[in-house]
Amino acid sequence: MTATRYDRRMYAVMNDRRAAAAYATMTRRRLLVGAHVALTVTGVGAWIGTVFGPGLGQAVVVVVVMFPWILLTGLLNGSTCGLLELRGRMLDERQLVERDRVRALAHRITLWLLVAAVFGAGAYGLLADAPLRAAVTPVLIGVLAAHWMMPLWVAGLRVRDDLGDDES
């Protein structure tokens, strides 16, 4: 199938190297992923607090966290050259294999996160002598957010450094 105008535009956006200095090294990408994880946890936690807690004070945190979270998401997508965002027809065979590896690893990590969440919610129900349903919904929302973001985080950590012009 041939590439559409949308495919070509997204390919150009995802392969725009103007911000490459921000994710040029493994250390920088690890910092980006760590900051993205922290902002995701903060934003999702604040959103859960807004929905399930008293008042709307946490909504301000969600709004404040949103802009840097979007910026870091774009940087991580740029660091992977759109590995997870581009359609398969825009990726070469190596990229398709890498995307499958990233998704498989993210799936395994999320599986263990789900196992931990089940045990954590069960322990909360036993230790706090509270109904389990009090912990289940917020925990499920947190795990859903992690499931959604895990492939991007894994891809960001797996990207190799670009070789410079002087390195062959």
Side-chain angles (χ1 to χ4, degrees), residues 13 44 53 101 117 124:
V13 167
V44 170
R101 286 182 183 147
Y124 169 80

Side-chain angles (χ1 to χ4, degrees), residues 10-34:
M10 288 304 296
Y11 184 85
V13 167
M14 294 295 169
N15 287 280
D16 185 349
R17 305 321 280 173
R18 285 182 284 184
Y23 49 77
T25 65
M26 178 61 79
T27 302
R28 290 180 187 169
R29 286 189 302 277
R30 285 180 179 161
L31 287 172
L32 286 175
V33 171

Side-chain angles (χ1 to χ4, degrees), residues 6 16 29 40 63 95 99 156:
Y6 172 80
D16 185 349
R29 286 189 302 277
T40 301
V63 172
Q95 291 169 316
R99 183 168 66 178

Side-chain angles (χ1 to χ4, degrees), residues 10 18 45 49-50 56 61 67-69 94 96 101 110 131 135 137 162:
M10 288 304 296
R18 285 182 284 184
T50 300
L56 297 175
V61 175
F67 179 72
W69 183 87
R94 179 194 54 78
L96 290 170
R101 286 182 183 147
T110 304
T137 304
D162 289 334

